[in-house]
Amino acid sequence: MLIADWSKLPKELLQIISEKLNCEFHELRFRSVCSSWRSSSIPPKNHLLNLPSKFPYPSKNNNNTSTYPIFKRTIFLINPPPNQQQQQTLNPWLIKIGLDSRGRTSLWNPLSRDKQLRLRFQLPHYFDFNQLSLFKLGHEFVIGDFPSVYPNESYSTENSHFMKKVVAYDDTLNSGNDRSCSVLLTIHISGKLAIFRSGDQQWMIMPEMPPNPYTDVCVFNGRPIAVDSAGRTVVVGSDLSLDLVAEAVFGGDTKYLVESDGELLLVDKYSNRVGQFRQFRQFERSDYEQSDLFSFGAVDERDYVIGIERAVRFDVFRLDENDKKWVKLTNLGDRVLFLGKDCAFSVKASNLPMANGNCLIFRDDDYGRDLHSTGLGIDVFCLDKQQILPLSSLPRCSNLFWPPPQWTGLD
Amino acid sequence: MAEEKSQASSSKMLTLKASDGVLFEVELNIAKEMKTVQAYIDDCEDIETIPIPNVLGKHLAIVIEYIKKTNEEYDAEFEKQWNMDDLQLLLLAANYLNISGLQECLCKAIAKRIENKSPEYVRKVFNIENDHSPEEEAKLRKEYKWAFEGVDKD
């Protein structure tokens, strides 16, 4: 009778398993199991297969030569080591972690692109992840370095705050060959979709002009999905055709996609415009062609207006795949949805722990934000009360993010 | 077990013999998904019974079923039924028989099961001894202690 001897698994299989782990932290644990597992895993950097390490921004201007590095950041829920749990119920900690442009491991605001502020402890400080219970909630890709929080401060002109969410998926057309390839999908500022494949030098902006601009993209069950501002949802095929997944719902201003409990949800955000400001001389460089900017509502190529919007309420829908319709959900049950700028995810309230689920945690854009605010800028929308509350009014929830729980020794 | 020889080559049947002697009759096009079997057929065209010495009847049955039914939905549910030992033996079978789709599916399933677990747990479940030498252990400790650096400008 064959007894499974895992340590003798052939190297090539161990390598495939390690590739599928898809996360640096899990791979480190994989490698520390035993020596044969260790020598088998060679994780690709950023897990983007056969893509360059730097990318231009999507633009109709094909003479664009500036490129920016891509960073993968992972969102974890960390729980203290078991032996410490005998004391009072200890808070988990929700963090986003990834390398910065100087290769240092850093913490980031889980819902936006900026660095977590005010880590005051002395350098260097070691945090042993192998001792903790790490639960991966999601990951994101960000192109460009964002050292500063506020776009209307002077910041590195290396970034574009107009760079929208980027998602990565496997190129199924090439799946027969030895080398699998990743593909990136994002939204160009004109509202059209843009794709970057292995071997490309520039993003390919998909020519189809949808009736409404696309506002979010995600990868669901390995397939790239996009939604426009009316809620019309499509899947991008391997031949770059767009097939309908669900019809529009109209409703609010911006739509987002979140995966929750194995199903795809649509979040519909209603916003009010609370102000605006002008940004000057933003685009002296040739990154963007004039027509790119006009579609964004620019006045001329150096001076444009940014509207400041704040969310007033949200509706959530679940997908009826057969009827190709979004069906409104009045109650999320035990679930808490998190809407970040580059990543959205769902967690059970009991895991956080929070008394009740049925809420949505989000962050309005940075524009117009109080420059001296010390908060994280995160708010909570409760579906039952149809009300937005600041994170600070829910201490149990607020303690998830900041300050670091006592058991970490980082406060 | 007698094999049937049919006119059309697409419905020609082959017999596969598992390591414990269990025999399986499969259609040629199913057997061809196992590249190892394909190579066997290419070498000796008249073969009717192909021995599969590394795979138990129980697992060969599962593999054949997978080949017949594989699609996105089936694959998603497939791995949930098996315990860790079966998963490993199925993976070794898929590897030996050279069925890349099944191999990918199983690797993904195994990765998912160990993903959020500590190395100690993984060692326990898979019954593996930590055989790292003290030097290797020290090197690993260094690798996985992550340094945080505070945001300096404030």
Side-chain angles (χ1 to χ4, degrees):
Chain A
M1 181 68 199
L2 278 176
I3 298 180
D5 183 357
W6 288 93
S7 64
K8 300 285 192 306
L9 210 60
K11 276 200 160 43
E12 75 225 30
L13 293 182
L14 286 178
Q15 189 169 337
I16 300 175
I17 296 177
S18 117
E19 274 173 20
K20 303 260 177 252
L21 282 171
N22 206 29
C23 167
E24 265 180 13
F25 293 89
H26 298 144
E27 279 169 25
L28 279 178
R29 292 176 165 186
F30 181 92
R31 298 177 76 205
S32 58
V33 170
C34 69
S35 56
S36 62
W37 283 41
R38 185 188 185 186
S39 52
S40 314
S41 88
I42 318 162
K45 199 172 176 208
N46 274 331
H47 306 269
L48 291 177
L49 303 165
N50 280 311
L51 286 179
S53 54
K54 285 185 160 197
F55 295 85
Y57 292 131
S59 169
K60 291 180 208 146
N61 175 4
N62 283 323
N63 295 325
N64 195 3
T65 49
S66 320
T67 57
Y68 309 91
I70 190 167
F71 298 97
K72 181 177 182 182
R73 294 174 193 161
T74 314
I75 298 156
F76 287 105
L77 193 64
I78 311 184
N79 274 296
N83 55 340
Q84 281 192 30
Q85 275 168 357
Q86 278 129 36
Q87 302 154 32
Q88 79 277 26
T89 38
L90 296 169
N91 256 18
W93 191 22
L94 198 155
I95 63 165
K96 184 160 81 183
I97 188 166
L99 297 178
D100 69 6
S101 56
R102 285 185 266 174
R104 301 175 300 182
T105 302
S106 305
L107 290 187
W108 306 82
N109 183 317
L111 299 186
S112 74
R113 288 182 185 169
D114 32 277
K115 267 198 179 177
Q116 194 70 288
L117 302 173
R118 282 167 282 279
L119 282 175
R120 265 187 231 106
F121 45 81
Q122 294 305 309
L123 313 172
H125 187 109
Y126 295 101
F127 205 57
D128 187 356
F129 278 100
N130 268 304
Q131 300 307 312
L132 305 170
S133 153
L134 276 190
F135 195 80
K136 178 180 167 178
L137 298 178
H139 66 263
E140 63 187 33
F141 292 98
V142 178
I143 298 179
D145 180 27
F146 293 85
S148 170
V149 179
Y150 304 111
N152 35 355
E153 273 183 350
S154 64
Y155 60 99
S156 163
T157 52
E158 296 297 299
N159 297 311
S160 171
H161 285 267
F162 299 112
M163 188 72 208
K164 303 212 187 212
K165 182 165 155 192
V166 174
V167 292
Y169 60 98
D170 289 332
D171 186 353
T172 48
L173 265 184
N174 278 324
S175 60
N177 309 347
D178 274 349
R179 301 294 293 149
S180 43
C181 299
S182 300
V183 183
L184 297 184
L185 171 68
T186 189
I187 303 169
H188 182 243
I189 54 172
S190 64
K192 299 184 194 173
L193 297 175
I195 295 244
F196 199 105
R197 288 157 302 184
S198 177
D200 288 351
Q201 302 290 322
Q202 297 288 336
W203 291 82
M204 204 272 289
I205 299 174
M206 293 171 66
E208 181 215 298
M209 186 64 217
N212 298 291
Y214 286 102
T215 60
D216 200 18
V217 288
C218 78
V219 179
F220 181 62
N221 288 341
R223 292 148 83 221
I225 314 260
V227 64
D228 70 18
S229 61
R232 183 172 178 273
T233 311
V234 296
V235 58
V236 182
S238 44
D239 56 353
L240 302 186
S241 60
L242 300 177
D243 293 318
L244 185 70
V245 168
E247 290 162 3
V249 294
F250 301 101
D253 306 292
T254 322
K255 308 291 190 282
Y256 301 93
L257 296 165
V258 191
E259 181 174 341
S260 170
D261 270 356
E263 59 175 357
L264 188 62
L265 302 182
L266 177 77
V267 175
D268 185 6
K269 177 166 88 171
Y270 290 76
S271 311
N272 274 347
R273 189 151 176 171
V274 300
Q276 64 187 37
F277 66 92
R278 294 190 117 75
Q279 186 95 17
F280 295 102
R281 299 200 169 269
Q282 182 67 17
F283 295 117
E284 287 191 6
R285 306 159 62 184
S286 58
D287 274 2
Y288 292 99
E289 223 179 52
Q290 277 199 9
S291 56
D292 285 350
L293 298 172
F294 284 139
S295 58
F296 189 81
V299 177
D300 66 45
E301 77 257 26
R302 289 163 303 162
D303 166 21
Y304 58 91
V305 172
I306 302 179
I308 302 168
E309 313 230 316
R310 291 282 175 261
V312 290
R313 72 178 182 90
F314 295 85
D315 281 337
V316 185
F317 299 77
R318 53 163 285 274
L319 179 62
D320 181 336
E321 283 198 64
N322 293 327
D323 285 351
K324 298 200 197 257
K325 279 187 161 49
W326 290 108
V327 177
K328 191 155 167 191
L329 270 181
T330 47
N331 196 320
L332 288 172
D334 188 35
R335 292 180 285 191
V336 179
L337 303 185
F338 290 77
L339 278 189
K341 190 167 174 83
D342 299 298
C343 174
F345 51 93
S346 162
V347 190
K348 284 201 164 65
S350 44
N351 287 335
L352 287 173
M354 268 169 74
N356 300 304
N358 201 23
C359 61
L360 201 152
I361 299 183
F362 67 100
R363 187 173 193 266
D364 277 319
D365 272 344
D366 285 323
Y367 302 111
R369 189 176 293 284
D370 175 7
L371 295 182
H372 304 292
S373 155
T374 53
L376 292 164
I378 296 178
D379 295 309
V380 184
F381 175 72
C382 305
L383 263 86
D384 50 3
K385 298 188 197 115
Q386 290 283 299
Q387 196 187 12
I388 293 180
L389 300 168
L391 188 66
S392 48
S393 66
L394 299 167
R396 269 183 108 180
C397 192
S398 168
N399 287 337
L400 264 183
F401 292 93
W402 201 259
Q406 233 181 349
W407 56 261
T408 61
L410 290 174
D411 53 350
Chain B
M1 219 165 148
E3 308 95 52
E4 292 166 285
K5 281 188 190 146
S6 161
Q7 250 87 3
S9 62
S10 60
S11 50
K12 179 185 174 194
M13 304 298 272
L14 267 182
T15 301
L16 301 178
K17 181 173 173 184
S19 61
D20 47 3
V22 181
L23 297 171
F24 295 88
E25 248 197 359
V26 290
E27 289 176 0
L28 186 61
N29 58 346
I30 303 282
K32 280 181 167 199
E33 291 296 314
M34 310 180 198
K35 301 237 167 47
T36 309
V37 172
Q38 170 74 70
Y40 219 108
I41 302 171
D42 287 344
D43 269 356
C44 14
E45 282 167 2
D46 289 339
I47 196 86
E48 282 167 2
T49 304
I50 298 175
I52 314 276
N54 295 7
V55 186
L56 288 171
K58 153 184 175 184
H59 296 118
L60 193 53
I62 298 169
V63 168
I64 293 170
E65 173 107 358
Y66 175 90
I67 298 174
K68 288 184 183 166
K69 291 196 178 160
T70 178
N71 63 33
E72 237 176 83
E73 253 182 70
Y74 182 80
D75 283 11
E77 295 301 306
F78 174 72
E79 56 90 6
K80 293 183 189 169
Q81 335 168 34
W82 317 117
N83 65 30
M84 278 306 231
D85 279 350
D86 279 330
L87 270 189
Q88 195 229 18
L89 294 171
L90 284 170
L91 179 56
L92 287 172
N95 182 247
Y96 172 73
L97 294 168
N98 203 344
I99 310 167
S100 58
L102 178 57
Q103 190 172 285
E104 285 284 303
C105 176
L106 291 167
C107 283
K108 203 162 151 189
I110 294 170
K112 200 161 170 197
R113 289 200 198 185
I114 62 174
E115 166 170 273
N116 281 317
K117 303 285 192 284
S118 69
E120 288 74 40
Y121 176 90
V122 170
R123 284 187 203 120
K124 201 172 97 187
V125 162
F126 294 177
N127 205 20
I128 301 175
E129 249 184 67
N130 181 5
D131 62 348
H132 284 121
S133 69
E135 295 80 42
E136 285 175 320
E137 187 82 46
K139 207 171 159 197
L140 271 174
R141 286 231 104 93
K142 199 174 161 206
E143 214 177 287
Y144 65 59
K145 278 197 188 287
W146 291 86
F148 279 179
E149 290 169 16
V151 170
D152 21 22
K153 22 199 155 192
D154 205 16

